Protein backbone atom coordinates (compact mmCIF):
# COMPACT_ATOMS: atom_id res chain seq x y z
CA UNK A 1 0.00 0.00 0.00
CA UNK A 2 1.04 3.59 -0.47
CA UNK A 3 3.02 5.17 2.33
CA UNK A 4 3.08 8.95 2.73
CA UNK A 5 5.62 10.88 4.75
CA UNK A 6 5.12 14.43 5.92
CA UNK A 7 7.37 16.19 8.38
CA UNK A 8 5.89 15.53 11.80
CA UNK A 9 7.64 18.50 13.35
CA UNK A 10 5.83 21.81 13.24
CA UNK A 11 7.16 24.42 10.86
CA UNK A 12 7.57 27.83 12.45
CA UNK A 13 8.06 30.82 10.19
CA UNK A 14 7.68 34.58 10.34
CA UNK A 15 4.90 36.47 8.68
CA UNK A 16 5.75 37.46 5.14
CA UNK A 17 8.11 34.55 4.53
CA UNK A 18 7.47 31.61 2.23
CA UNK A 19 6.47 28.37 3.90
CA UNK A 20 7.46 25.13 2.18
CA UNK A 21 5.95 21.82 3.21
CA UNK A 22 7.05 18.43 1.91
CA UNK A 23 5.13 15.30 1.04
CA UNK A 24 7.05 12.17 0.09
CA UNK A 25 5.52 8.90 -0.97
CA UNK A 26 6.71 5.38 -1.64
CA UNK A 27 5.61 2.69 -4.03
CA UNK A 28 3.77 3.57 -7.19
CA UNK A 29 3.37 7.09 -8.47
CA UNK A 30 -0.21 8.30 -8.24
CA UNK A 31 -2.07 9.91 -11.10
CA UNK A 32 -2.60 12.97 -8.91
CA UNK A 33 -1.91 14.36 -5.49
CA UNK A 34 -3.98 16.67 -3.30
CA UNK A 35 -3.35 19.10 -0.46
CA UNK A 36 -5.82 19.85 2.33
CA UNK A 37 -5.85 22.30 5.20
CA UNK A 38 -7.14 21.38 8.64
CA UNK A 39 -7.81 23.83 11.45
CA UNK A 40 -8.08 22.63 15.07
CA UNK A 41 -11.43 21.03 15.79
CA UNK A 42 -12.54 21.08 12.16
CA UNK A 43 -12.56 18.77 9.16
CA UNK A 44 -9.95 19.02 6.40
CA UNK A 45 -10.65 21.42 3.56
CA UNK A 46 -9.49 20.79 -0.01
CA UNK A 47 -6.93 23.27 -1.37
CA UNK A 48 -5.29 22.03 -4.55
CA UNK A 49 -5.03 18.99 -6.80
CA UNK A 50 -2.08 18.43 -9.11
CA UNK A 51 -1.93 15.70 -11.75
CA UNK A 52 1.12 13.66 -12.69
CA UNK A 53 1.55 15.50 -15.99
CA UNK A 54 1.52 18.89 -14.25
CA UNK A 55 4.83 20.01 -12.77
CA UNK A 56 3.39 22.97 -10.94
CA UNK A 57 0.03 24.43 -9.99
CA UNK A 58 -0.85 27.77 -8.43
CA UNK A 59 -3.82 29.23 -6.62
CA UNK A 60 -3.43 32.73 -5.25
CA UNK A 61 -0.54 32.53 -2.73
CA UNK A 62 -0.37 28.74 -2.93
CA UNK A 63 1.90 26.73 -5.20
CA UNK A 64 2.25 22.99 -5.47
CA UNK A 65 4.90 21.03 -7.34
CA UNK A 66 4.85 17.35 -8.17
CA UNK A 67 8.05 15.45 -8.98
CA UNK A 68 7.24 11.86 -9.89
CA UNK A 69 10.94 11.00 -10.21
CA UNK A 70 11.68 12.06 -6.65
CA UNK A 71 8.23 10.86 -5.51
CA UNK A 72 7.72 14.18 -3.82
CA UNK A 73 5.34 17.11 -3.72
CA UNK A 74 6.21 20.52 -2.32
CA UNK A 75 3.54 22.89 -1.05
CA UNK A 76 4.46 26.57 -0.86
CA UNK A 77 2.63 29.46 0.76
CA UNK A 78 4.12 32.79 -0.24
CA UNK A 79 3.79 35.97 1.84
CA UNK A 80 2.56 33.84 4.73
CA UNK A 81 0.13 35.27 7.27
CA UNK A 82 -0.79 34.22 10.81
CA UNK A 83 -4.16 33.11 9.38
CA UNK A 84 -2.26 30.45 7.40
CA UNK A 85 -1.42 28.67 10.64
CA UNK A 86 -2.99 25.22 10.39
CA UNK A 87 -2.12 21.60 9.69
CA UNK A 88 -1.63 20.74 6.04
CA UNK A 89 -2.29 17.25 4.77
CA UNK A 90 -1.29 15.71 1.49
CA UNK A 91 -3.34 12.92 0.01
CA UNK A 92 -3.01 10.63 -2.94
CA UNK A 93 -4.90 7.79 -4.49
CA UNK A 94 -4.86 4.60 -2.52
CA UNK A 95 -6.96 1.47 -2.76
CA UNK A 96 -10.42 2.68 -3.79
CA UNK A 97 -10.02 6.02 -2.12
CA UNK A 98 -7.50 8.56 -0.90
CA UNK A 99 -4.64 7.87 1.47
CA UNK A 100 -3.77 10.81 3.69
CA UNK A 101 -0.47 11.77 5.24
CA UNK A 102 -0.36 12.63 8.92
CA UNK A 103 0.07 16.28 8.17
CA UNK A 104 2.50 19.04 9.04
CA UNK A 105 1.55 21.86 11.38
CA UNK A 106 2.47 25.34 10.17
CA UNK A 107 2.77 28.19 12.66
CA UNK A 108 3.14 31.69 11.26
CA UNK A 109 4.14 34.27 13.83
CA UNK A 110 3.52 38.02 13.42
CA UNK B 1 -18.46 22.15 3.97
CA UNK B 2 -20.42 20.97 0.92
CA UNK B 3 -23.56 20.67 3.05
CA UNK B 4 -22.30 17.88 5.28
CA UNK B 5 -23.52 17.52 8.83
CA UNK B 6 -22.60 14.99 11.46
CA UNK B 7 -24.54 14.03 14.55
CA UNK B 8 -23.94 13.95 17.36
CA UNK B 9 -20.99 16.33 17.47
CA UNK B 10 -19.88 15.03 20.85
CA UNK B 11 -20.67 11.80 22.63
CA UNK B 12 -19.53 10.08 25.80
CA UNK B 13 -20.44 6.44 26.17
CA UNK B 14 -19.46 3.39 28.15
CA UNK B 15 -17.56 0.33 27.03
CA UNK B 16 -19.83 -2.31 25.55
CA UNK B 17 -22.54 0.14 24.51
CA UNK B 18 -23.64 0.33 20.86
CA UNK B 19 -23.13 3.71 19.25
CA UNK B 20 -24.38 5.08 15.92
CA UNK B 21 -22.97 8.16 14.25
CA UNK B 22 -24.84 9.83 11.43
CA UNK B 23 -23.58 11.69 8.39
CA UNK B 24 -25.99 13.66 6.27
CA UNK B 25 -25.19 15.40 2.97
CA UNK B 26 -27.23 17.67 0.75
CA UNK B 27 -24.88 17.61 -2.27
CA UNK B 28 -26.11 14.38 -3.84
CA UNK B 29 -22.54 13.05 -3.89
CA UNK B 30 -22.26 9.40 -4.79
CA UNK B 31 -19.34 8.53 -2.54
CA UNK B 32 -19.33 8.77 1.25
CA UNK B 33 -16.57 7.90 3.68
CA UNK B 34 -16.00 7.43 7.39
CA UNK B 35 -12.56 8.20 8.82
CA UNK B 36 -11.14 8.28 12.29
CA UNK B 37 -8.36 10.66 13.25
CA UNK B 38 -6.00 9.95 16.11
CA UNK B 39 -2.76 11.62 17.18
CA UNK B 40 0.17 9.96 15.48
CA UNK B 41 -2.00 8.14 12.98
CA UNK B 42 -3.62 10.80 10.91
CA UNK B 43 -6.80 10.08 9.01
CA UNK B 44 -7.60 6.40 8.56
CA UNK B 45 -10.45 5.08 6.46
CA UNK B 46 -12.98 2.92 8.29
CA UNK B 47 -15.61 2.20 5.64
CA UNK B 48 -16.84 3.85 2.50
CA UNK B 49 -19.86 3.74 0.23
CA UNK B 50 -20.01 4.02 -3.53
CA UNK B 51 -23.78 4.12 -3.75
CA UNK B 52 -26.97 3.29 -1.92
CA UNK B 53 -26.54 -0.08 -0.21
CA UNK B 54 -23.01 -0.39 -1.67
CA UNK B 55 -20.29 -0.30 0.96
CA UNK B 56 -16.78 -1.61 1.44
CA UNK B 57 -14.21 -1.88 4.18
CA UNK B 58 -11.34 0.46 4.72
CA UNK B 59 -8.06 0.18 6.54
CA UNK B 60 -9.46 -0.01 10.10
CA UNK B 61 -12.92 -1.57 9.76
CA UNK B 62 -12.83 -4.08 12.63
CA UNK B 63 -15.50 -3.30 15.23
CA UNK B 64 -17.41 -1.00 12.89
CA UNK B 65 -20.32 -1.45 10.51
CA UNK B 66 -22.02 0.97 8.15
CA UNK B 67 -25.25 1.36 6.30
CA UNK B 68 -26.47 3.58 3.51
CA UNK B 69 -30.16 3.32 2.74
CA UNK B 70 -30.43 6.76 1.12
CA UNK B 71 -28.00 8.81 -0.94
CA UNK B 72 -27.86 11.52 1.69
CA UNK B 73 -27.28 9.43 4.82
CA UNK B 74 -24.35 7.25 5.86
CA UNK B 75 -24.43 5.66 9.30
CA UNK B 76 -21.47 4.32 11.25
CA UNK B 77 -22.19 1.86 14.04
CA UNK B 78 -19.91 0.67 16.78
CA UNK B 79 -21.58 -2.57 17.77
CA UNK B 80 -19.94 -2.69 21.20
CA UNK B 81 -17.80 0.34 21.88
CA UNK B 82 -14.29 -0.11 23.28
CA UNK B 83 -11.89 2.44 24.72
CA UNK B 84 -9.68 2.04 21.64
CA UNK B 85 -12.50 3.54 19.60
CA UNK B 86 -12.19 6.85 21.41
CA UNK B 87 -11.39 9.17 18.55
CA UNK B 88 -12.57 11.97 16.31
CA UNK B 89 -14.71 10.63 13.48
CA UNK B 90 -15.02 12.45 10.18
CA UNK B 91 -17.46 11.86 7.40
CA UNK B 92 -16.53 12.88 3.88
CA UNK B 93 -18.24 12.87 0.51
CA UNK B 94 -17.05 12.93 -3.07
CA UNK B 95 -18.28 12.82 -6.63
CA UNK B 96 -15.69 10.35 -7.88
CA UNK B 97 -13.79 7.57 -6.22
CA UNK B 98 -10.41 9.08 -5.62
CA UNK B 99 -10.72 12.76 -6.27
CA UNK B 100 -11.58 15.69 -4.04
CA UNK B 101 -13.31 14.89 -0.79
CA UNK B 102 -15.47 17.21 1.30
CA UNK B 103 -15.40 16.73 5.02
CA UNK B 104 -17.95 17.20 7.74
CA UNK B 105 -17.20 18.93 11.06
CA UNK B 106 -16.41 15.72 12.93
CA UNK B 107 -17.76 13.85 15.94
CA UNK B 108 -15.73 13.54 19.13
CA UNK B 109 -16.39 10.18 20.74
CA UNK B 110 -15.15 9.25 24.19
CA UNK B 111 -15.58 5.64 25.32
CA UNK B 112 -15.11 5.21 29.05
Amino acid sequence: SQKIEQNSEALNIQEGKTATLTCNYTNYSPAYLQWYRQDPGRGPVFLLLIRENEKEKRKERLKVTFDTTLKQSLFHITASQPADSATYLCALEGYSTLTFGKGTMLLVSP
Amino acid sequence: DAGITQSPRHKVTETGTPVTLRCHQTENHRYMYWYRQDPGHGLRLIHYSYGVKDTDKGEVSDGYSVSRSKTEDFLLTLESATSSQTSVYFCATGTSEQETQYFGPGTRLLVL
Side-chain angles (χ1 to χ4, degrees), chain B residues 9 21-23 40 47 62 68-69 76 81 97 107 109-110:
Chain B
R9 293 293 314 280
L21 309 183
R22 180 181 183 240
C23 178
H47 281 280
D62 287 348
R68 191 167 178 201
S69 58
L76 176 70
E97 192 170 40
T107 293
L109 176 66
L110 175 60

Side-chain angles (χ1 to χ4, degrees), chain B residues 70-103:
Chain B
K70 298 185 291 184
T71 298
E72 56 267 35
D73 290 324
F74 193 31
L75 303 181
L76 176 70
T77 297
L78 290 64
E79 302 292 344
S80 178
T82 67
S83 58
S84 65
Q85 293 176 312
T86 291
S87 187
V88 180
Y89 291 85
F90 287 102
C91 172
T93 71
T95 56
S96 59
E97 192 170 40
Q98 293 170 326
E99 295 212 4
T100 304
Q101 293 186 10
Y102 303 90
F103 284 80

